[in-house]
Amino acid sequence: MQDGDSHRVEATVETDRHRAIEEAGWLGRLVDRGGIIFAVGIVLAMLILIQEVILRYVFNAPTIWAHETTVFLTATAFVYGGLYCTARDTHIRVVLLYDLAQGRARRVLDAVISLICMVSSGFFAWAAWLMVRRAIFRPDGSIHFETSGSAWDPAYPAYLKLFLLFILGLMALQFLILAVNHLRAVFRGGDSA
């Protein structure tokens, strides 16, 4: 291999580290691409806050919507971040035993970890559903989205709870896809981790 070829291989390996892992499947690739939307949301939140500081302290004309909007934008990015890390396999794990395993044993651990995380995500999604039910439905069954109670009073709390439920459902599905693909690798003899 020539020197130029080794640089291309290193660049490809480095690029692959910044993508969804292969085992994440179609959902992981979709989640990975969607991350840019939430990154733009964080930048937008920053711009809104800069505008608010200028309006408040330079022109003495603050807005009533800036604070709640920036909290909503950053909260959605934070919630999406869990799913994003799952697709890229950058979530936190206890590595005491995991780092000792190699090959097929590591694949089995990946599958077991994914299944446990799928069950956990399912329980969290159920808890999120309980919050959504209270945030969207009145006791008589009519629909009314929970609002912030501020002067502007947007329905951001209800929207955020709905988004959390949706993301946790996707996260449970993503962990299922990971578990299935890790188990496929175990049974077909794939031992590269």
Side-chain angles (χ1 to χ4, degrees), residues 38-61:
F38 297 93
V40 169
I42 291 173
V43 172
L44 182 61
M46 177 206 57
L47 294 172
I48 291 169
L49 286 176
I50 290 170
Q51 170 202 300
E52 181 65 13
V53 168
I54 292 169
L55 288 174
R56 179 179 300 266
Y57 295 109
V58 175
F59 298 107
N60 197 26

Side-chain angles (χ1 to χ4, degrees), residues 40-187:
V40 169
I42 291 173
V43 172
L44 182 61
M46 177 206 57
L47 294 172
I48 291 169
L49 286 176
I50 290 170
Q51 170 202 300
E52 181 65 13
V53 168
I54 292 169
L55 288 174
R56 179 179 300 266
Y57 295 109
V58 175
F59 298 107
N60 197 26
T63 65
I64 63 170
W65 58 269
H67 176 70
E68 288 173 311
T69 301
T70 57
V71 168
F72 178 74
L73 288 171
T74 54
T76 56
F78 181 78
V79 169
Y80 190 81
L83 180 59
Y84 188 77
C85 288
T86 300
R88 288 179 166 229
D89 195 33
T90 56
H91 56 90
I92 297 172
R93 67 168 55 103
V94 179
V95 295
L96 183 65
L97 297 175
Y98 184 81
D99 282 349
L100 295 175
Q102 293 181 3
R104 183 172 275 193
R106 183 172 274 198
R107 287 288 192 181
V108 169
L109 277 177
D110 284 333
V112 169
I113 290 167
S114 295
L115 288 172
I116 291 169
C117 290
M118 179 196 70
V119 170
S120 298
S121 297
F123 281 128
F124 283 122
W126 174 252
W129 162 246
L130 297 177
M131 288 191 316
V132 165
R133 197 172 62 189
R134 286 190 302 270
I136 294 179
F137 299 105
R138 290 183 172 149
D140 67 358
S142 63
I143 294 176
H144 176 74
F145 281 48
E146 176 185 11
T147 60
S148 67
S150 68
W152 185 38
D153 204 25
Y156 285 160
Y159 298 151
L160 189 57
K161 290 172 185 177
L162 271 170
F163 185 68
L164 178 63
L165 173 61
F166 177 71
I167 293 298
L168 285 168
L170 282 181
M171 191 179 293
L173 178 60
Q174 180 65 84
F175 278 122
L176 176 62
I177 291 169
L178 286 167
V180 166
N181 287 334
H182 286 305
L183 285 173
R184 281 183 182 161
V186 168
F187 290 120

Side-chain angles (χ1 to χ4, degrees), residues 18-20 27-36 80 84 87-88:
H18 299 293
R19 292 187 187 158
L27 180 59
R29 290 187 298 275
L30 187 65
V31 166
D32 190 59
R33 288 186 191 115
I36 190 68
Y80 190 81
Y84 188 77
R88 288 179 166 229

